[in-house]
Amino acid sequence: MIRYSFVLLILLLVAPTNMNAQKVGLVLSGGGAKGAAHIGVIKALEENNIPIDYVTGTSIGSIIGSLYAMGYTPEEMLTLLLSEEFAYWQTGMVQDDYIYYFKKPDPTPEFLHFSIDFTDSIQVRTNILPGSLINPIQMNQAFISLFAQATAKAGWNFDNLFVPFRCVGSDIYNKKPIIFKNGDLGDAVRASMTFPLVFKPIWKDGVPLFDGGIYDNFPVQPMREAFQPDFIFGSAVAGSNIKPSHNLYNQIFFFFKQKTAYEIADPLTICIIKYFFFSSRRRHTRLPKKKE
């Protein structure tokens, strides 16, 4: 729980800016299941009447940020994350009611298949390895239902959502982040959270797009460039000191992943909420530990 002293400190900083009608941006990092903490940050800001005028997010931050941008309350977001439906997204399991529609027999009885393109000796095509660890059918179906109405209502322009929004994907072929500002909101979020080999990528302009955390896991710069807010809050649930993993998928992910800065020094007032770590105007102060 965020301590009252912490909230009071934020209020003292934000109150003068509100009187001058300055704008506030919220940046949400990637970080897997830990990203549920973003909901608590949003709830704390709302409870203390701190406005959120813009949102940017990566990976799990793009999911939470997009829901808030569409008008979901913290309570509604938490309900969704704890629901059976959300569990189906993560596992790729198909609900019993829909198995008839999604389960199909293999079109061929062959055990495995590969072919060689003789025009280029290094091009060996094989289907021995699966395209992804998790079947994306259930997630794609859910995302159509979840995001289609907001996408149409906003005219495929993320500036027209309830809260203007940006999220980040990664183009690993051209080695650069992709900032989504328009188009299908569901596809943008799917691309931003597509962990390599775990989920099938979203394709755009002939290029597969993957998890935005590869190149920008804490999208402060997209926030500045798109919205130029006067005040930024950042919720970072990932860190720079990542321990080596025996998991092959994690190893492949971190093979591509670029280093992300979570501590930001900037003349613009910035609050970074990171495991109760507070930063503002180049000052770094540890919050007091909670009394037992």
Side-chain angles (χ1 to χ4, degrees):
M1 181 181 294
I2 299 178
R3 293 180 60 99
Y4 289 109
S5 58
F6 174 51
V7 173
L8 179 59
L9 183 56
I10 293 178
L11 285 172
L12 291 174
L13 287 169
V14 178
T17 67
N18 285 339
M19 292 186 295
N20 296 323
Q22 292 181 314
K23 299 296 184 179
V24 175
L26 177 64
V27 179
L28 306 176
S29 78
K34 293 181 292 186
H38 294 325
I39 298 176
V41 171
I42 293 174
K43 184 176 178 61
L45 295 176
E46 285 192 344
E47 287 178 346
N48 290 278
N49 299 314
I50 299 174
I52 301 173
D53 299 292
Y54 312 109
V55 178
T56 60
T58 295
S59 197
I60 183 64
S62 72
I63 297 178
I64 303 299
S66 65
L67 292 173
Y68 187 75
M70 291 192 298
Y72 275 62
T73 66
E75 290 76 17
E76 290 171 336
M77 287 188 280
L78 185 59
T79 298
L80 177 60
L81 261 63
L82 295 176
S83 67
E84 288 186 358
E85 182 181 11
F86 189 78
Y88 285 128
W89 302 358
Q90 300 178 80
T91 61
M93 294 178 60
V94 178
Q95 292 174 257
D96 293 340
D97 293 343
Y98 302 125
I99 287 179
Y100 173 81
Y101 301 100
F102 292 116
K103 296 294 186 182
K104 297 180 180 180
D106 292 335
T108 171
E110 63 190 8
F111 179 70
L112 61 86
H113 168 80
F114 73 92
S115 60
I116 299 176
D117 183 354
F118 288 100
T119 62
D120 187 344
S121 60
I122 67 171
Q123 294 297 320
V124 178
R125 297 181 177 87
T126 176
N127 66 353
I128 296 175
L129 294 176
S132 64
L133 180 65
I134 295 178
N135 189 329
I137 289 178
Q138 182 73 15
M139 181 182 292
N140 293 342
Q141 171 85 0
F143 272 34
I144 291 174
S145 174
L146 185 63
F147 293 108
Q149 185 175 0
T151 298
K153 186 69 174 179
W156 284 262
N157 184 343
F158 299 172
D159 286 344
N160 296 332
L161 294 168
F162 180 73
V163 177
F165 172 71
R166 296 289 187 274
C167 65
V168 184
S170 293
D171 176 353
I172 63 172
Y173 284 86
N174 295 299
K175 311 298 182 185
K176 64 179 183 180
I178 300 295
I179 312 302
F180 291 95
K181 62 180 181 180
N182 51 39
D184 187 292
L185 181 60
D187 282 353
V189 174
R190 258 282 277 122
S192 183
M193 57 166 287
T194 299
F195 199 91
L197 295 183
V198 176
F199 297 109
K200 289 184 178 179
I202 292 291
W203 287 73
K204 183 179 181 181
D205 299 328
V207 177
L209 302 180
F210 292 91
D211 194 298
I214 294 175
Y215 294 121
D216 190 354
N217 202 40
F218 192 47
V220 173
Q221 192 60 30
M223 169 65 75
R224 293 190 188 120
E225 293 176 354
F227 305 119
Q228 299 89 44
D230 301 290
F231 199 91
I232 297 177
F233 284 97
S235 177
V237 295
S240 301
N241 299 322
I242 300 172
K243 296 180 180 179
S245 172
H246 292 285
N247 185 294
L248 177 61
Y249 292 96
N250 288 338
Q251 292 173 356
I252 293 174
F253 179 76
F254 292 115
F255 177 80
F256 293 103
K257 183 176 173 60
Q258 304 296 309
K259 186 176 181 179
T260 296
Y262 297 98
E263 284 74 27
I264 303 170
D266 193 286
L268 178 68
T269 300
I270 296 180
C271 293
I272 301 176
I273 304 168
K274 178 188 173 187
Y275 298 122
F276 304 103
F277 179 79
F278 180 78
S279 169
S280 177
R281 296 190 188 277
R282 301 179 185 266
R283 292 187 294 107
H284 301 272
T285 305
R286 290 286 180 182
L287 291 176
K289 293 183 179 180
K290 183 178 179 180
K291 294 180 179 180
E292 298 296 335

